[in-house]
Amino acid sequence: MTAAPPPSTGRELSNPPTDGISNLRFSNHSDHLLVSSWDKSVRLYDASANALRGEFMHGGAVLDCCFHDDSSGFSASADHTVRRLVFNYNREDILGRHDAPVRCIEYSYATGQVITGSWDKTLKCWDPRGASAQERSLVGTYAQPERVYSMSLVGNRLVVATAGRHVNVYDLRNMSQPEQRRESSLKYQTRCVRCYPNGTGYALSSVEGRVAMEFFDLSEAGQSKKYAFKCHRKSEAGRDIVYPVNAIAFHPIYGTFATGGCDGYVNVWDGNNKKRLYQYAKYPTSVAALSFSRDGRLLAVASSYTYEEGDKPHEPDAIFVRSVNEVEVKPKPKMLPNPAT
Amino acid sequence: MGINGFLVQVLATNRVFNPSQSNLLLRMEKICGSLLYELQIIWDEIGESDAERDRMLLELEQECLEIYRRKVDQANRCRAQLKQAIADAEAELAAICSAMGELPVHIRQSDPNPESLKDELRAILPQIEEMRKRRIDRKNQFIEVLDEIRNIENEIYRSDGFASNDPAIDEADLSIKSLKNCAENCRHSKRKVRAFYDYCSHWQLQDVATSLLELWNLMDTPIEEQQIFQKVTCKLAASEDEITEPDMLSVDYIDYVKAEVSRLEELKASKMKELVLKKKAELEVICRKTHLISDKDSAMETAIDAIESGAVDAACLLEQIELRIARVKEEALSRKEILEKVEKWMAACEEESWLEEYNRDDNRYNAGRGAHLALKRAEKARALVNKLPAMVDTLASKVLAWENEEGIEFTYDGVRLLSMLESYTVLRQQKEIERKRQRDQKKLQGQLLAEQEALYGSKPSPVKNQNVKKDSRLSCGGASKRKLSLGAPILQTPKRDMLPSAKATPNTRKAKTNVRINQDRLKDDGLSALSSGRRVSDKAGLPMKQQSPILVKAREPESPMLRRPFTPISTTNLSKPNASNISEDLNKKHNEMLHKAVIINNTPFTPPPKIISSADEENRTPQTTAITLPSTPSTVSVPMQTAITPAPLIQTAIIPALSVEDEIEYSFEERRADLCCLDHNQ
């Protein structure tokens, strides 16, 4: 084995999708990586072995995917379908449909339900157990103020970000109405929303190079902790060029988080101490998605042009899997003790 | 043994026979004896030998035995025949019973002492007769039912020929159950027929009810008249079995309703002209609403007049008008989007002219009734006016696209919409030129005044001072007068033009009020980059000033260069001399750039990198130096650039989220998905 140092961007996976990557996710049980793409496929990779383990073709671009357990997953497609994918048997079936492309999908271990958000301005909850009949799998439909752009789950909480900068927070045990109806603190279109692993709040990113750190606790004390910061910007000739922040991923152990932007960079931040911990080497094109492995030792980066400047020639879409060093993600507490947190 | 011996044996069996039979046998015995005796005598006379006598007696015995045997055989045969007959009869009975599915009325009793065969036969024959008769009856019943079914089916299926054969009857199954089945089939067929007739009647009823409704609608029949037939029309959607009213499906009732329909049709014919005119009016209304000129068809006019004379078929004319209405409605639909935009544009133009009026009003800053409302309206109006060029451009491109697609001009009340837009744009440009000229003039005047002050001290000569004051007051609030004196057309004077001149004469009360109000504003909304910037540099991690999220409508481009009224003043501008001049210059530049920016926005996709003005940059310089953007990874942890309510001070507001062409925002994925769809369609 030649001791060639791994490239600074991480190891590139072979057989990447042939068109843009919409999302990628590590499994909770292994180093399997599920990737959804605009080439209408969902691919399952073994990230450590750099091998393609499965491929599912859909009727339209696949906008999101998630794992159920290590043997099955779900996908959300622009052909309006929500599908269940069984990896070992390479079988898939349609769990249900929306009236417009399905943008987000999550599986809740707490309720055992699949939750999807769509551009038809609804959320739908599905029960994937038992009967495959579509009519019986739909548990409920919940109207949203606008098209759903991003979603995140933690414990029993679901955060939904829509067009028009609306944010709805739901308690999965009572979906009849949102627990909180909020508006993004940022002035521009929401790009991505991710809940903190400790369940106290969520991070929300916009197209204007900014991330807001929000908290569920609506009391004075709770809301006093919230703030926003600028990121993924470039200074040039005395002016700032600002890039959309497409992806946020939280480290499962340290609670620090990485952001990926259209500037091609991945930054790692310490939200509590309000510091940037690390910046990885620039990727060939926009970072479309990020995911940490279950033990936080690997970071998958989707380097894939996200059409922020329309249809134009761009670098080929690629997936990089890099090892994560502790120093890059471990928080560094402040020198001076902070009385209030 | 001789004859006598034989007879003795016969007599011995006498007990089998009854007395009369025994008597007969005794007599036979006697005759036999006497005959034998006679034979003896004859033989004696003849002198027959013993051997011969034995031989003849043996012969005689044989022959007698033969006869007896024959009789026995006969009797045997008779018995066998009887038995057969009985067996046959029993078989037939069983067959009939099984076919009929029932037992005979007289059930045979199994006698411990079997009767004689003849008795048996005697017993069974009437039973058979009975069952045969019943079978025939049953068959007849079947025939009756099947005939009925066949007739009904002939009727339903319209078969003209009558079957020459009898309907097929299954001889093996003549049970009551089977008969009941047949009867059920028959009833079913009858029901079918009835349902069919009901359906026909119902269909007629529905047909007639529909005609009724159409006629009522067409002729605005009064409610009272309609009520009479309400029970018909309200059942229009009902199925046959839902019609429970007695006789509703009867021929008489249907005829009654039909009569009403024909009455109405006559009425319709007589009201035709009225109807045609009504429809024509409807057409005109629709045309008006969609700002289409309804082509005055002179041919149609004369046709309408000719209805009464009967020369023109009113129904046909009505149809024509209906067609036209449908076409216009379709057109209206395709015009809807553009018309909505035209409404918006016109509303904006109205606000524009209101704003012009308002700007000319000297007293607008007085705290009179509704002054604050007017202020608000003015602010909104200014925002709207800024959007006007973009609105016009968008509208024009949409109209052009529509014209290309439809292949005809888009007219608005008879005028080509594009020409309207063009003339508006030209007018605006003219106004712009005039405004620029005004500004240039003022600048010149301002410079002159400044020179004067420099030369002659702070107070110009009283005469001049008065003039200046007058002028300045005029310039503040009465630019219109100046304009009038120049003979220029009344132009819109945005407020920004006012203030530079106000600054030139800082003593005017107006200027002071402005500044004071500005300062208040500074405190209030905290939107100033300056204050936020400063605070940020002091500590990291600030509480967000706004507790409740603010709903942002279309964000104005706010530039510190362009100092619009009631917007915060940045230090950079205040520190500079001749701020007014620079502001004016930049003002012009801004307008140009805005226009350019607007033009740029009309491209389908707008680039995300936004340019933030240097003023913002200045505020952030402390942080900027701290952040390194390394090409090699660094482990230096760096503070975040946090800010309170971020004021994006964006110069050329090229915002992908809110592109000016649509008011609806789209995410990158949505646009990309659209492209994908387009690809597929191609």
Side-chain angles (χ1 to χ4, degrees):
Chain A
M1 249 190 3
T2 44
S8 51
T9 49
R11 187 188 49 206
E12 195 174 342
L13 280 186
S14 3
N15 296 318
T18 54
D19 201 350
I21 296 160
S22 50
N23 199 10
L24 42 65
R25 277 202 226 225
F26 269 108
S27 158
N28 280 343
H29 311 276
S30 67
D31 284 347
H32 280 164
L33 188 68
L34 196 62
V35 179
S36 57
S37 164
W38 285 82
D39 73 353
K40 307 185 194 176
S41 77
V42 177
R43 290 169 198 238
L44 178 72
Y45 296 90
D46 183 340
S48 322
N50 186 10
L52 178 65
R53 293 263 182 254
E55 189 174 347
F56 299 85
M57 297 307 291
H58 291 19
V62 190
L63 301 179
D64 200 358
C65 60
C66 69
F67 275 95
H68 176 191
D69 49 24
D70 224 23
S71 65
S72 64
F74 302 97
S75 66
S77 173
D79 68 3
H80 308 193
T81 60
V82 180
R83 290 175 207 240
R84 169 186 24 218
L85 319 165
V86 183
F87 304 136
N88 299 332
Y89 305 113
N90 210 45
R91 196 183 65 220
E92 55 154 284
D93 62 300
I94 295 178
L95 203 56
R97 280 172 213 277
H98 275 265
D99 296 326
V102 191
R103 178 68 184 90
C104 312
I105 189 163
E106 288 286 343
Y107 175 76
S108 163
Y109 288 90
T111 60
Q113 287 178 359
V114 177
I115 302 149
T116 52
S118 163
W119 290 339
D120 68 0
K121 305 188 189 179
T122 66
L123 273 188
K124 285 187 197 262
C125 287
W126 313 87
D127 186 349
R129 295 174 280 221
S132 59
Q134 292 174 33
E135 307 82 55
R136 275 174 279 167
S137 62
L138 178 63
V139 170
T141 302
Y142 311 99
Q144 298 303 303
E146 256 287 7
R147 296 151 280 156
V148 178
Y149 281 170
S150 182
M151 254 171 39
S152 178
L153 264 178
V154 68
N156 276 317
R157 268 214 180 88
L158 172 73
V159 180
V160 182
T162 72
R165 297 167 46 255
H166 301 282
V167 176
N168 274 341
V169 180
Y170 283 91
D171 184 338
L172 287 172
R173 296 164 293 196
N174 177 19
M175 291 291 288
S176 55
Q177 59 168 26
E179 194 186 31
Q180 297 174 19
R181 278 180 237 265
R182 302 159 78 126
E183 205 104 48
S184 161
S185 314
L186 305 179
K187 296 250 181 332
Y188 289 92
Q189 184 186 79
T190 306
R191 205 62 197 113
C192 175
V193 70
R194 286 288 177 268
C195 294
Y196 309 155
N198 66 7
T200 57
Y202 59 95
L204 186 146
S205 70
S206 77
V207 295
E208 188 242 352
R210 219 179 280 259
V211 173
M213 307 297 286
E214 303 273 11
F215 294 87
F216 294 126
D217 179 12
L218 292 174
S219 69
E220 194 69 50
Q223 291 305 297
S224 67
K225 292 188 282 183
K226 75 177 188 180
Y227 67 94
F229 64 96
K230 298 174 197 172
C231 50
H232 297 281
R233 294 175 174 214
K234 188 157 75 179
S235 292
E236 207 171 76
R239 290 199 278 195
D240 256 31
I241 299 172
V242 154
Y243 295 94
V245 182
N246 297 319
I248 303 173
F250 280 86
H251 192 277
I253 296 170
Y254 294 121
T256 51
F257 61 99
T259 58
C262 288
D263 58 356
Y265 285 103
V266 175
N267 295 311
V268 185
W269 310 86
D270 178 355
N272 291 329
N273 297 317
K274 298 193 175 101
K275 288 203 186 328
R276 187 175 68 178
L277 296 172
Y278 203 80
Q279 183 184 68
Y280 290 113
K282 189 170 187 296
Y283 285 90
T285 179
S286 310
V287 175
L290 292 169
S291 179
F292 281 100
S293 61
R294 71 206 144 97
D295 53 9
R297 289 184 311 105
L298 295 174
L299 174 65
V301 180
S303 165
S304 169
Y305 174 59
T306 49
Y307 272 61
E308 62 271 12
E309 289 183 326
D311 193 3
K312 68 171 207 188
H314 54 87
E315 296 292 315
D317 310 286
I319 303 168
F320 295 93
V321 178
R322 58 173 314 127
S323 303
V324 172
N325 296 319
E326 215 179 71
V327 73
E328 297 158 0
V329 292
K330 195 168 176 192
K332 295 166 190 53
K334 281 188 183 164
M335 287 296 127
L336 298 166
N338 193 1
T341 338
Chain B
M1 166 199 41
I3 301 282
N4 289 331
F6 174 67
L7 284 171
V8 165
Q9 276 204 323
V10 168
L11 283 165
T13 59
N14 233 359
R15 46 188 149 93
V16 182
F17 297 102
N18 62 27
S20 61
Q21 288 166 348
S22 305
N23 284 344
L24 181 66
L25 281 166
L26 267 165
R27 234 192 14 248
M28 269 178 67
E29 196 190 315
K30 276 197 190 130
I31 297 169
C32 235
S34 67
L35 280 171
L36 277 171
Y37 184 67
E38 207 175 321
L39 201 58
Q40 291 251 12
I41 296 174
I42 294 172
W43 280 341
D44 282 339
E45 221 179 294
I46 296 176
E48 273 301 349
S49 64
D50 280 332
E52 196 56 41
R53 292 188 196 207
D54 284 336
R55 195 192 58 82
M56 284 176 80
L57 280 172
L58 198 65
E59 223 178 273
L60 189 66
E61 193 183 55
Q62 300 284 20
E63 282 176 19
C64 284
L65 279 172
E66 206 50 55
I67 289 165
Y68 270 92
R69 230 179 259 123
R70 231 185 293 135
K71 288 294 177 204
V72 166
D73 283 345
Q74 233 174 35
N76 222 0
R77 265 202 301 279
C78 192
R79 184 179 64 180
Q81 272 173 0
L82 269 175
K83 277 194 175 160
Q84 184 64 45
I86 290 170
D88 284 346
E90 280 182 350
E92 191 181 333
L93 191 64
I96 294 179
C97 287
S98 91
M100 300 273 285
E102 52 192 85
L103 293 169
V105 177
H106 315 290
I107 300 163
R108 264 182 358 124
Q109 289 149 2
S110 52
D111 213 345
N113 281 337
E115 306 155 348
S116 69
L117 292 178
K118 280 198 169 174
D119 280 341
E120 268 188 57
L121 193 61
R122 229 193 328 264
I124 207 171
L125 280 178
Q127 289 180 19
I128 282 212
E129 276 310 310
E130 173 82 28
M131 289 312 286
R132 280 192 192 137
K133 183 167 147 316
R134 293 235 240 124
R135 182 175 65 175
I136 288 173
D137 283 343
R138 186 69 59 78
K139 253 177 130 172
N140 284 336
Q141 282 180 311
F142 268 94
I143 289 172
E144 223 177 278
V145 173
L146 290 171
D147 258 343
E148 210 174 329
I149 291 176
R150 198 178 45 171
N151 287 338
I152 291 169
E153 294 201 333
N154 279 345
E155 239 180 281
I156 293 177
Y157 301 117
R158 289 175 187 268
S159 58
D160 292 319
F162 284 90
S164 49
N165 307 326
D166 282 329
I169 297 176
D170 182 9
E171 299 270 354
D173 184 5
L174 296 171
S175 61
I176 287 282
K177 186 158 156 264
S178 177
L179 183 65
K180 279 187 176 159
N181 275 346
C182 279
E184 183 57 44
N185 287 346
C186 182
R187 272 195 294 274
H188 179 69
S189 293
K190 280 188 180 160
R191 253 183 271 133
K192 267 207 283 193
V193 175
R194 207 179 310 131
F196 179 66
Y197 281 131
D198 273 351
Y199 172 76
C200 289
S201 305
H202 180 65
W203 180 83
Q204 274 193 312
L205 196 67
Q206 280 192 326
D207 191 40
V208 124
T210 316
S211 307
L212 260 185
L213 284 170
E214 278 174 11
L215 285 164
W216 286 343
N217 184 34
L218 198 61
M219 302 206 287
D220 283 333
T221 312
I223 278 287
E224 307 84 58
E225 264 186 61
Q226 292 188 30
Q227 290 280 37
I228 302 169
F229 293 90
Q230 214 237 335
K231 58 176 182 166
V232 176
T233 50
C234 78
K235 292 275 175 41
L236 197 60
S239 63
E240 293 92 270
D241 30 286
E242 286 176 14
I243 296 182
T244 51
E245 292 238 359
D247 296 333
M248 258 195 95
L249 291 177
S250 76
V251 179
D252 285 339
Y253 187 74
I254 292 178
D255 282 342
Y256 171 58
V257 183
K258 277 187 178 169
E260 178 68 11
V261 170
S262 28
R263 182 187 77 86
L264 285 170
E265 295 212 318
E266 275 177 37
L267 198 62
K268 168 178 157 183
S270 76
K271 278 193 174 187
M272 256 324 183
K273 183 165 178 191
E274 252 181 77
L275 283 166
V276 166
L277 288 169
K278 190 174 131 192
K279 278 286 165 187
K280 191 159 171 301
E282 198 183 314
L283 175 67
E284 280 170 15
V285 165
I286 298 174
C287 284
R288 215 182 322 127
K289 277 203 180 142
T290 189
H291 296 279
L292 277 171
I293 302 290
S294 60
D295 28 315
K296 295 283 176 201
D297 192 345
S298 54
M300 183 158 61
E301 300 277 357
T302 47
I304 292 173
D305 291 329
I307 290 178
E308 290 204 62
S309 63
V312 169
D313 178 14
C316 176
L317 197 57
L318 202 68
E319 225 181 279
Q320 273 182 37
I321 298 181
E322 293 268 10
L323 276 168
R324 212 176 280 198
I325 287 180
R327 240 186 303 135
V328 172
K329 278 187 178 163
E330 255 183 66
E331 243 188 286
L333 212 62
S334 86
R335 288 164 64 93
K336 191 169 161 223
E337 195 198 345
I338 292 184
L339 285 172
E340 281 170 3
K341 290 207 183 288
V342 170
E343 295 297 317
K344 287 198 184 130
W345 169 57
M346 288 187 163
C349 287
E350 262 183 56
E351 284 299 295
E352 190 181 16
S353 51
W354 176 86
L355 191 64
E356 283 178 35
E357 278 289 320
Y358 177 79
N359 286 336
R360 266 178 258 131
D361 181 13
D362 283 353
N363 296 325
R364 63 184 181 283
Y365 295 133
N366 293 351
R369 225 189 271 168
H372 63 296
L373 288 169
L375 274 172
K376 282 209 165 135
R377 183 175 175 181
E379 205 179 312
K380 289 198 181 125
R382 255 175 260 128
L384 205 55
V385 162
N386 275 337
K387 286 200 244 171
L388 258 173
M391 213 189 285
V392 171
D393 277 333
T394 322
L395 183 53
S397 60
K398 276 209 179 299
V399 173
L400 203 60
W402 185 94
E403 286 191 350
N404 284 337
E405 210 183 300
E406 302 287 326
I408 50 165
E409 288 184 358
F410 190 107
T411 58
Y412 191 89
D413 288 339
V415 183
R416 190 168 178 207
L417 185 60
L418 278 179
S419 347
M420 283 166 75
L421 292 171
E422 236 181 87
S423 43
Y424 171 80
T425 317
V426 165
L427 182 66
R428 215 169 189 271
Q429 280 171 356
Q430 283 178 346
K431 283 189 195 173
E432 194 63 42
I433 292 169
E434 187 55 41
R435 227 180 296 150
K436 189 168 174 236
R437 203 166 57 75
Q438 292 284 323
R439 262 182 266 128
D440 287 341
Q441 271 208 331
K442 272 185 226 153
K443 197 171 63 171
L444 219 57
Q445 284 190 338
Q447 280 177 342
L448 278 168
L449 278 166
E451 280 174 20
Q452 277 189 337
E453 276 187 3
L455 285 170
Y456 303 114
S458 59
K459 265 194 180 171
S461 61
V463 177
K464 281 191 186 143
N465 198 7
Q466 273 187 341
N467 285 343
V468 165
K469 277 200 181 140
K470 271 202 211 130
D471 277 338
S472 65
R473 236 174 274 133
L474 283 172
S475 73
C476 273
S480 53
K481 289 185 193 157
R482 229 197 286 148
K483 275 180 273 161
L484 282 171
S485 68
L486 291 169
I490 295 171
L491 295 168
Q492 176 194 16
T493 24
K495 275 208 183 133
R496 34 190 123 100
D497 292 334
M498 296 310 208
L499 293 155
S501 46
K503 276 193 217 152
T505 53
N507 290 328
T508 57
R509 233 192 286 147
K510 295 261 160 55
K512 271 204 186 139
T513 355
N514 287 351
V515 171
R516 226 185 299 131
I517 293 168
N518 285 340
Q519 282 172 350
D520 287 338
R521 237 3 210 316
L522 252 174
K523 271 185 259 161
D524 280 346
D525 64 18
L527 278 172
S528 96
L530 170 69
S531 47
S532 67
R534 281 255 178 84
R535 256 179 265 160
V536 165
S537 58
D538 286 343
K539 33 182 174 162
L542 286 164
M544 294 262 274
K545 185 131 195 233
Q546 53 186 89
Q547 293 296 327
S548 59
I550 290 174
L551 187 68
V552 171
K553 296 237 165 101
R555 290 289 295 169
E556 312 300 319
E558 282 178 14
S559 161
M561 309 306 182
L562 163 67
R563 208 200 137 260
R564 298 152 88 249
F566 310 131
T567 53
I569 307 162
S570 78
T571 45
T572 51
N573 284 343
L574 284 174
S575 61
K576 290 179 189 157
N578 298 333
S580 54
N581 298 336
I582 294 176
S583 304
E584 278 172 1
D585 284 337
L586 290 159
N587 186 13
K588 270 182 272 169
K589 279 217 189 88
H590 170 81
N591 280 342
E592 285 165 16
M593 270 196 280
L594 186 64
H595 208 69
K596 261 195 226 146
V598 163
I599 293 165
I600 293 166
N601 277 342
N602 283 337
T603 59
F605 291 95
T606 52
K610 284 165 284 190
I611 318 294
I612 295 189
S613 67
S614 53
D616 195 32
E617 214 282 308
E618 186 200 271
N619 295 330
R620 281 194 342 275
T621 327
Q623 285 97 347
T624 323
T625 50
I627 295 170
T628 52
L629 295 172
S631 52
T632 56
S634 86
T635 56
V636 174
S637 63
V638 151
M640 293 172 172
Q641 304 175 44
T642 60
I644 333 171
T645 59
L649 300 180
I650 287 156
Q651 181 127 17
T652 52
I654 302 172
I655 305 160
L658 303 165
S659 86
V660 183
E661 54 176 343
D662 305 320
E663 271 124 38
I664 310 166
E665 64 168 303
Y666 290 107
S667 63
F668 307 140
E669 287 76 30
E670 282 173 298
R671 292 182 195 268
R672 190 175 188 168
D674 261 15
L675 277 178
C676 282
C677 290
L678 284 169
D679 282 342
H680 289 157
N681 290 343
Q682 282 157 12

